[in-house]
Amino acid sequence: MSKPVNQQLIADRLKISRATVSRCFTNHPGINPKTRGKVFKLAAALGYNHLETRTGSGRERVKPAQFGVLVCTEVDDYLNTDYESPGEKLIAGVSDQAILGDIQLDVHFVHPEDTSLTESSYAKIDGLQQREWSGAILVYPFAPAIVDELNRLMPVVSLVEQYSGAPINCVDVDHHRGIAAIVRRLSDQGHQRIGFMSHHYDVDANWALRRHSAYVEEMTRLGNFIDPADVLNVRPTERLDSEQTYARALERTRFGVTAWVCAADHQAYGLIDFLNQRGIKTPADVSVTGFDGIEPPDWAPQLTTVSIPYYEIGQIGCKRLEELVSKRFGSAQHVMLDCAIRDGDTVASVSR
């Protein structure tokens, strides 16, 4: 028989005390943000609803404001321990800001394939269906139809994903600045034949397209030729799975590509592993870069990448939502945070 989903189960899974879990849910200021992020992440994955009516002196107290935090991804992918989770850092930042505003967070995973608030993963969220939320924070890309529906119901802030349809407030990173820095670093090492690679996702990843456009812009500025065959999984007609993408990258590497700009760190680590198993070493044979700044897996070298300030993005996103709750129809804002290149062990000078 499976254990009941409660705070003790969460504590056992994370190897922390039940009191620590309880304090996370009651906005106790003494909890480490990383710990709070892990607790919210696991609670959402297990479907644990921690929101309770606060009572005192025999009378019901006024409930604090409640923000919904929706994480659009498959739970198994989010809980994958092969790579560090950016979403966990975002939620840690959101939760710290929520403490300052005495705001309760209602965190839920939703399925990427669901395109309406009436579908299963949304229909089971009581706070959303009963209109208890003052606003919503979106983590990872969502179907545009979902974003439009939510935006009609309440203030919405998206984290690290911009939408071209409805005027959605967004806190994001400067993709162009980060990718431009990566391409210049590769160029300084003598690379001219630089490829770009992304993965195919169930929901269109506009962040990957923005990073690709930055790659095109900087490559053009430097006078480097871009062979369309060296750009993988960006065109709408190209829907390769990860193994097919890596195999194509291997083929293009053998055909002359000396460096790869990957749209995300987990893609870069997957590529390094794939190439290594086939005798192509990084960076001796090919340089590989990423974008995110997550910690490398135990087996992997430190990636040359761009570090995203996820924690600060979460904080600012929550604060922006607080502002929108008091001024519902103010102009939508896109807040762009700076990012910095982080040198690693996956880039070397051109040797061929």
Side-chain angles (χ1 to χ4, degrees):
M1 178 181 293
S2 61
K3 293 183 179 180
V5 178
N6 53 29
Q7 292 186 9
Q8 188 60 58
L9 176 62
I10 296 170
D12 292 343
R13 291 276 187 93
L14 295 177
K15 295 180 171 56
I16 58 178
S17 70
R18 184 186 179 283
T20 297
V21 174
S22 177
R23 291 188 182 109
C24 289
F25 293 138
T26 55
N27 283 353
H28 193 285
I31 300 299
N32 184 289
K34 289 185 178 180
T35 300
R36 194 180 299 111
K38 291 181 184 297
V39 168
F40 275 113
K41 170 184 172 181
L42 182 58
L46 296 174
Y48 175 68
N49 184 3
H50 58 85
L51 297 179
E52 301 175 351
T53 300
R54 298 183 180 182
T55 59
S57 302
R59 295 180 302 173
E60 182 176 313
R61 293 172 53 189
V62 176
K63 288 185 179 181
Q66 186 181 129
F67 287 173
V69 180
L70 297 176
V71 185
C72 188
T73 186
E74 296 294 340
V75 174
D76 289 345
D77 291 341
Y78 194 67
L79 294 179
N80 187 344
T81 57
D82 291 342
Y83 305 107
E84 187 181 24
S85 169
E88 188 177 298
K89 293 183 177 180
L90 291 170
I91 292 174
V94 170
S95 66
D96 258 15
Q97 182 61 38
I99 290 175
L100 298 177
D102 192 26
I103 296 164
Q104 284 191 328
L105 299 181
D106 190 13
V107 185
H108 293 272
F109 287 91
V110 291
H111 299 309
E113 64 269 21
D114 286 355
T115 58
S116 170
L117 298 184
T118 60
E119 295 194 55
S120 60
S121 62
Y122 294 92
K124 68 181 181 181
I125 302 174
D126 291 340
L128 172 60
Q129 298 300 327
Q130 297 175 16
R131 305 292 186 264
E132 294 177 347
W133 294 352
S134 301
I137 293 173
L138 308 184
V139 178
Y140 297 144
F142 284 71
I146 291 289
V147 178
D148 290 344
E149 282 191 71
L150 286 169
N151 196 46
R152 287 194 292 267
L153 294 175
M154 66 189 75
V156 175
V157 173
S158 170
L159 305 183
V160 202
E161 182 66 13
Q162 302 172 43
Y163 296 92
S164 57
I168 299 296
N169 284 262
C170 175
V171 182
D172 204 351
V173 68
D174 191 338
H175 303 276
H176 280 76
R177 181 175 172 84
I179 290 293
I182 285 287
V183 174
R184 285 196 301 272
R185 183 60 49 87
L186 292 171
S187 179
D188 290 343
Q189 295 294 321
H191 295 278
Q192 294 180 322
R193 185 78 180 275
I194 303 171
F196 183 91
M197 189 201 80
S198 184
H199 279 181
H200 168 59
Y201 297 95
D202 293 331
V203 178
D204 288 340
N206 293 320
W207 54 266
L209 295 178
R210 287 185 173 84
R211 293 171 193 178
H212 170 252
S213 68
Y215 154 84
V216 171
E217 180 179 311
E218 190 62 19
M219 287 284 285
T220 302
R221 192 188 68 80
L222 293 172
N224 293 337
F225 173 72
I226 301 174
D227 187 335
D230 297 340
V231 176
L232 308 180
N233 252 355
V234 171
R235 292 171 286 274
T237 56
E238 192 175 36
R239 299 301 191 198
L240 306 175
D241 63 30
S242 59
E243 288 294 304
Q244 292 172 325
T245 305
Y246 297 147
R248 187 74 61 83
L250 171 62
E251 173 190 305
R252 301 310 297 172
T253 299
R254 288 172 172 165
F255 196 69
V257 171
T258 63
W260 287 99
V261 174
C262 297
D265 282 359
H266 68 275
Q267 301 171 9
Y269 286 122
L271 176 61
I272 291 170
D273 185 39
F274 185 93
L275 295 178
N276 183 61
Q277 292 181 33
R278 288 152 183 83
I280 305 295
K281 305 300 181 182
T282 301
D285 301 316
V286 64
S287 293
V288 178
T289 66
F291 199 117
D292 277 333
I294 65 175
E295 291 303 309
D298 293 338
W299 58 265
Q302 179 65 64
L303 187 67
T304 295
T305 184
V306 173
S307 294
I308 297 179
Y310 287 111
Y311 177 82
E312 289 83 359
I313 288 174
Q315 279 187 309
I316 295 170
C318 185
K319 184 174 179 60
R320 177 57 183 155
L321 188 55
E322 291 179 69
E323 296 169 352
L324 289 172
V325 168
S326 60
K327 188 179 180 182
R328 174 71 172 93
F329 296 103
S331 298
Q333 297 179 6
H334 283 188
V335 179
M336 306 291 285
L337 273 65
D338 198 6
C339 51
I341 191 168
R342 188 180 72 189
D343 288 312
D345 304 315
T346 59
V347 169
S349 299
V350 176
S351 59
R352 55 183 171 87

